[in-house]
Amino acid sequence: SMEVVVPDDQLSLAIGKKGQNVRLASRLTGWNLEVRSEAEAEEEARMARVALGSIPGIGDVTAEFLFQHGFKSAQEVADAGEVALAEVEGIDLDRIPAILEAARSQAAELQRLAAEAEAEAAAAAAAAASAVPEVVAVEDSLPVADLPVDTVDTPVEVTADGEEDGVAAPADGGVVDNG
């Protein structure tokens, strides 16, 4: 797999209509191509550097060494093992056990927080679902025309001085002439 970063304004051209350009380039090179914009790649790099820098005891320089070697998270560092970290130029062999322990601790904490957030979201969704009133179908509802006359409001006319005059609606549905 190969990541291809293109200028933001060229992303749609690089991908092509329905991914045609990427598929063709993939066939020609024999690689699975992942096309991304510069903005996406820059944001991912920034987030990776922040994630690596958040590992306790790892400074910006060590985080940059790890990033340049392809690591993007505490979990990736924790899963790497001593041999893989020994290949990272700029990291003292003496520090590798401490880096691994800190990365494992950080990864475990992040997993715990993610599980906690997921549980809270599930509980909130369940609470929201139980708070929605149940809709009950009414099968024997009466049309408005069949309602008793005393349930229909009597029209009210407001005069110029703001007083209300009750106006009875005629039985034939016509207009009442109060004049």
Side-chain angles (χ1 to χ4, degrees):
S1 180
M2 180 186 296
E3 181 178 297
V4 179
V5 179
V6 297
D8 295 350
D9 61 342
Q10 299 292 309
L11 182 61
S12 61
L13 180 64
I15 294 171
K17 188 174 185 177
K18 296 183 181 177
Q20 184 176 3
N21 294 347
V22 173
R23 281 194 307 277
L24 177 60
S26 230
R27 265 190 251 135
L28 291 172
T29 61
W31 287 84
N32 177 28
L33 302 176
E34 297 175 27
V35 179
R36 301 181 4 185
S37 70
E38 286 177 335
E40 288 176 37
E42 288 171 7
E43 178 63 15
E44 183 180 297
R46 187 187 70 74
M47 296 298 291
R49 285 180 173 106
V50 168
L52 293 169
S54 71
I55 299 171
I58 293 183
D60 292 341
V61 173
T62 303
E64 186 61 30
F65 287 143
L66 291 168
F67 177 75
Q68 292 301 323
H69 202 70
F71 293 100
K72 295 179 181 173
S73 68
Q75 187 66 56
E76 289 181 6
V77 174
D79 294 342
E82 289 186 19
V83 174
L85 289 182
E87 295 174 4
V88 177
E89 235 177 273
I91 296 181
D92 287 336
L93 297 177
D94 297 345
R95 291 192 56 216
I96 291 175
I99 290 172
L100 281 173
E101 180 56 36
R104 289 177 182 140
S105 175
Q106 177 79 1
E109 177 66 12
L110 292 173
Q111 287 176 347
R112 184 190 67 75
L113 291 173
E116 198 174 277
E118 188 176 315
E120 287 176 11
S130 68
V132 174
E134 187 176 327
V135 177
V136 177
V138 178
E139 295 177 18
D140 296 327
S141 62
L142 295 173
V144 174
D146 293 343
L147 290 175
V149 176
D150 63 339
T151 62
V152 177
D153 289 334
T154 304
V156 175
E157 185 177 291
V158 178
T159 61
D161 62 355
E163 295 294 320
E164 292 182 1
D165 288 335
V167 179
D172 65 358
V175 177
V176 175
D177 183 14
N178 287 337

